[in-house]
Amino acid sequence: AEIAAAANVVRWLAEQENEAQILEVVANRSLALLPGETAVVYLLSPAGDELQARAVSGRHAERIQGMTI
């Protein structure tokens, strides 16, 4: 089951056209495959001094999207 789920994620990633879509797939599929209420993909800011929430799925997504740490 895990191998089939991973294969589906790879297929979905290959179908995406830009970074934002890829990050959304990663967040959405992570939440679907792993226990939890929220999945967040953080990327390093251009200045390299912060992590930015670039894709969020699940509970409180609208509050977390764009946050920096």
Side-chain angles (χ1 to χ4, degrees), residues 11 18 35 44 59:
R11 183 176 45 82
N18 60 53
L44 194 59
R59 190 172 187 202

Side-chain angles (χ1 to χ4, degrees), residues 10-26:
V10 170
R11 183 176 45 82
W12 289 320
L13 289 174
E15 294 172 354
Q16 305 314 306
E17 296 181 6
N18 60 53
E19 181 182 80
Q21 291 175 331
I22 290 169
L23 296 177
E24 285 298 320
V25 168
V26 170

Side-chain angles (χ1 to χ4, degrees), residues 19-49:
E19 181 182 80
Q21 291 175 331
I22 290 169
L23 296 177
E24 285 298 320
V25 168
V26 170
N28 290 333
R29 296 310 305 158
S30 295
L31 191 57
L33 295 171
L34 301 168
E37 296 180 353
T38 308
V40 184
V41 177
Y42 285 94
L43 295 182
L44 194 59
S45 68
D49 58 349

